[in-house]
Amino acid sequence: MNSAASEPVLIGIDWGTSSLRACLIGAEGEVLDRVASDEGIMQVEDGDFDAVFDRLIGPWRTGRDLPILASGMITSRNGWVETPYVEMPAGADSLASALVAHETKSGARIHFVTGATTTHATGPDVMRGEETQIIGAAAIGMADGTFVMPGTHSKWVHVAGGRIEDFATYMTGEIFAALSGHTILGRLMEGSGFNADGFAKGVKAALAEDANLLHDLFHVRTLPLMGQIPATETADFLSGLLIGTEIASARRQAGTLGEITIVGRSDLADRYEIALSAAGLKSRRAPDDIVARGHLLIAKAAGLI
Amino acid sequence: MNSAASEPVLIGIDWGTSSLRACLIGAEGEVLDRVASDEGIMQVEDGDFDAVFDRLIGPWRTGRDLPILASGMITSRNGWVETPYVEMPAGADSLASALVAHETKSGARIHFVTGATTTHATGPDVMRGEETQIIGAAAIGMADGTFVMPGTHSKWVHVAGGRIEDFATYMTGEIFAALSGHTILGRLMEGSGFNADGFAKGVKAALAEDANLLHDLFHVRTLPLMGQIPATETADFLSGLLIGTEIASARRQAGTLGEITIVGRSDLADRYEIALSAAGLKSRRAPDDIVARGHLLIAKAAGLI
């Protein structure tokens, strides 16, 4: 723990598919200590979430009785406790009302933030964990507008007055992995690291008037085959083509888009910043630790603090 | 060989990535004998195409000196002899002029039909083998209109006056395999055989005004997850979503489409027939053995017969 004068008021856990991040949180949402692990829910042996929790979070509980909130895929069918989804629109109040309490074997009481769902004409959509981040961003002045949350399954979230109005998932990241790893498109890929030229060309193709994804993907093969782009540009051409298609689709669905808030600090978030700019869209970055802000706001709304 | 009175005038070989089909062809394009093998170019050990040719085609050459044409991926970089592509538009005459002769170790002279290429604003496109089928269809009265050739990489080919004017490749089949085999979308798939209800739902979603492929793909997971379609419909929902997207894209690119000629007799071709009908497009089937017709027409145009 660091030497900040603040006293902790809450433990917040963001437990996803491939990682766990937990924060010891002060009264103003400041992070007093943190733990990160790659023990995402799919990596926890025999589903023994109690053991991981006790080992990683136990030290924070010694001599203290803090409320504990957990969000993310930990509440999914493959997680610790499966919880229902809240319907849109959803704010801190509805997420607070929907908290699901669970007592661990070691006697800790965890309040699970449930996921969110929305239904469009074409089918339902779901998220688990992102709703808490959005609520956290809203708590620090980002209470309106469109958020993009890059990832394996990126989320576009429309927020108004601090409440999530609607959202949509795009499978962009997972599709990139499947196409580059398991189709002929990966065969001509060379090099590593980000190739800005290849990425820009892919984004441009995706934003073109006559963009046509199932066909344009074949250019990932034909352009290097015919010597029209170097093999070192191929992987990022595919990345640009997919991310550009996602942005063009999200804009078409929304009608118009104002400034976009990008959540995350990853290399992937950098790519979205470049592609949004190429699409003529303004963007800004959400600060780190919005998930801790979200946990705090929901805990307060639930009367736990 | 069967007992038809006709004398053979040509040997035609359609040698693709995953199979080889050869015909002994009469003067009117009739198939007098045929050989089929799964020794596609990727299955030929050590690239010993001579051995496969001698074993499968040798018997037809005994006591006869027939011209031999071969088309398909056999002329690609991983094939027997790599040949350049002809540019669009291309008819039997230009394909005849571009034939590449090659003498086998056993002294046979093979004339390779080269592939075709076209360049759109977004990038080049290529095919090897399909051009010969299209020329063959044109020879039996299908000389104008749009052809769809379902497959791992399906081709949409626009034909006028017996010449190929333009074409576009869609990676639909390979993308289906990658997404169902290597993403979370495959996890909830159950059952085998064609599920017409699931397929129809996927096609309908793809043809909707606000279709949005990278997002709609997530419904392959959420619909069964939320109990809105049975797991047995999931695989064919994905198939319908992709084929429907391909058809919608091809129609948008073409402006309007008249009757579509479907090439092939596979289960996949049946799916295209259903999806085209759902899109309000008329279709008909090309007969079998158009590739033999194509070989005959090109051989005649080259003065080999």
Side-chain angles (χ1 to χ4, degrees):
Chain A
M1 197 182 311
N2 69 22
S3 60
S6 322
E7 279 300 303
V9 300
L10 178 69
I11 293 170
I13 308 171
D14 180 15
W15 203 335
T17 301
S18 56
S19 69
L20 175 156
R21 291 168 196 281
C23 294
L24 190 64
I25 302 165
E28 303 302 320
E30 67 276 30
V31 174
L32 305 175
D33 198 7
R34 66 178 77 233
V35 163
S37 159
D38 59 4
E39 288 163 290
I41 65 164
M42 300 309 283
Q43 280 75 47
V44 173
E45 267 182 51
D46 303 324
D48 191 359
F49 300 104
D50 279 275
V52 176
F53 174 83
D54 289 344
R55 175 163 40 80
L56 296 178
I57 309 301
W60 287 343
R61 299 184 55 237
T62 306
R64 288 197 200 99
D65 186 21
L66 296 173
I68 305 166
L69 255 64
S71 56
M73 290 297 284
I74 191 67
T75 67
S76 68
R77 195 161 301 173
N78 300 315
W80 200 346
V81 171
E82 186 178 3
T83 68
Y85 298 99
V86 296
E87 299 275 348
M88 295 299 97
D93 50 353
S94 41
L95 289 167
S97 308
L99 286 174
V100 173
H102 171 77
E103 187 155 335
T104 71
K105 289 175 187 162
S106 58
R109 191 172 174 80
I110 300 179
H111 298 272
F112 286 109
V113 182
T114 200
T117 189
T118 183
T119 298
H120 305 129
T122 46
D125 209 328
V126 293
M127 62 185 180
R128 288 192 189 271
E130 293 90 349
E131 72 297 324
T132 304
Q133 293 176 269
I134 294 293
I135 293 302
I140 52 168
M142 297 176 156
D144 295 279
T146 299
F147 290 68
V148 61
M149 313 179 81
T152 305
H153 295 173
S154 73
K155 306 283 182 188
W156 286 73
V157 187
H158 301 287
V159 182
R163 298 173 75 79
I164 303 170
E165 295 286 323
D166 199 9
F167 64 91
T169 301
Y170 287 76
M171 290 196 63
T172 312
E174 192 172 12
I175 290 171
F176 174 82
L179 297 186
S180 56
H182 301 283
T183 73
I184 200 169
L185 299 185
R187 301 264 181 87
L188 297 176
M189 290 179 181
E190 284 178 16
S192 59
F194 179 58
N195 186 300
D197 285 346
F199 186 74
K201 288 172 190 172
V203 171
K204 187 179 173 196
L207 297 175
E209 188 74 33
D210 60 346
N212 178 356
L213 185 63
L214 292 182
H215 165 63
D216 293 342
L217 285 169
F218 195 51
H219 295 141
V220 177
R221 178 162 176 79
T222 59
L223 285 167
L225 186 71
M226 308 294 266
Q228 295 184 17
I229 68 171
T232 48
E233 291 188 2
T234 305
D236 287 314
F237 180 83
L238 173 60
S239 173
L241 194 54
L242 290 170
I243 292 174
T245 300
E246 176 185 326
I247 291 170
S249 301
R251 176 157 58 184
R252 196 169 51 246
Q253 299 289 323
T256 67
L257 282 174
E259 187 180 43
I260 310 291
T261 304
I262 303 171
V263 176
R265 296 269 157 184
S266 63
D267 162 70
L268 194 56
D270 296 342
R271 289 168 187 253
Y272 277 74
E273 188 170 79
I274 296 167
L276 286 166
S277 171
L281 292 166
K282 279 193 188 174
S283 68
R284 62 178 177 178
R285 296 296 188 103
D288 291 339
D289 296 329
I290 52 174
V291 69
R293 299 274 174 177
H295 285 138
L296 182 70
L297 195 65
I298 295 166
K300 282 184 178 171
L304 295 170
I305 299 174
Chain B
M1 197 182 310
N2 68 22
S3 59
S6 321
E7 279 301 303
V9 300
L10 177 70
I11 293 169
I13 308 171
D14 181 15
W15 203 335
T17 300
S18 56
S19 69
L20 175 155
R21 290 168 195 282
C23 294
L24 189 64
I25 303 164
E28 303 302 320
E30 68 275 30
V31 174
L32 305 175
D33 198 7
R34 65 179 77 233
V35 163
S37 160
D38 58 5
E39 288 164 289
I41 65 164
M42 300 308 283
Q43 280 75 47
V44 174
E45 266 182 53
D46 303 324
D48 191 359
F49 300 104
D50 279 275
V52 176
F53 174 84
D54 288 344
R55 177 163 37 82
L56 296 178
I57 309 299
W60 287 342
R61 298 183 57 237
T62 305
R64 289 198 200 100
D65 187 21
L66 295 173
I68 305 166
L69 255 64
S71 57
M73 290 297 284
I74 190 68
T75 66
S76 69
R77 195 162 301 175
N78 300 315
W80 200 345
V81 171
E82 186 178 2
T83 68
Y85 298 99
V86 297
E87 300 276 347
M88 295 299 96
D93 50 354
S94 42
L95 289 166
S97 307
L99 286 174
V100 173
H102 171 78
E103 187 156 332
T104 71
K105 288 175 186 160
S106 58
R109 190 172 174 80
I110 301 180
H111 298 271
F112 286 110
V113 182
T114 200
T117 189
T118 183
T119 299
H120 305 128
T122 46
D125 209 329
V126 293
M127 62 185 180
R128 289 191 187 273
E130 292 91 348
E131 72 297 324
T132 304
Q133 293 176 269
I134 295 293
I135 294 302
I140 52 169
M142 297 175 158
D144 295 279
T146 299
F147 290 70
V148 62
M149 311 177 83
T152 305
H153 295 173
S154 73
K155 308 282 181 187
W156 287 72
V157 187
H158 300 288
V159 182
R163 298 172 74 79
I164 302 169
E165 295 285 324
D166 199 9
F167 64 93
T169 301
Y170 288 75
M171 290 196 61
T172 313
E174 192 171 12
I175 291 171
F176 174 82
L179 296 186
S180 56
H182 301 283
T183 74
I184 200 169
L185 300 185
R187 301 265 180 86
L188 297 177
M189 291 178 179
E190 283 177 17
S192 59
F194 179 59
N195 186 299
D197 286 346
F199 185 76
K201 289 174 189 170
V203 170
K204 187 179 173 197
L207 297 176
E209 188 74 34
D210 60 347
N212 178 356
L213 184 63
L214 292 181
H215 165 64
D216 292 343
L217 284 169
F218 195 52
H219 295 142
V220 177
R221 178 161 178 79
T222 59
L223 286 167
L225 186 71
M226 308 294 265
Q228 295 184 17
I229 68 172
T232 48
E233 290 188 2
T234 304
D236 287 314
F237 179 83
L238 173 60
S239 173
L241 194 54
L242 290 170
I243 292 174
T245 301
E246 175 185 327
I247 291 170
S249 300
R251 175 157 59 183
R252 197 168 52 246
Q253 299 289 324
T256 67
L257 283 174
E259 187 179 42
I260 310 290
T261 305
I262 303 170
V263 176
R265 296 270 158 186
S266 63
D267 162 68
L268 195 55
D270 295 343
R271 289 168 187 254
Y272 277 74
E273 187 170 80
I274 295 168
L276 286 166
S277 171
L281 292 166
K282 278 193 188 174
S283 67
R284 61 178 177 177
R285 297 296 187 104
D288 291 338
D289 297 328
I290 52 174
V291 69
R293 299 275 173 177
H295 285 137
L296 183 70
L297 195 63
I298 295 167
K300 282 184 178 171
L304 294 170
I305 298 172

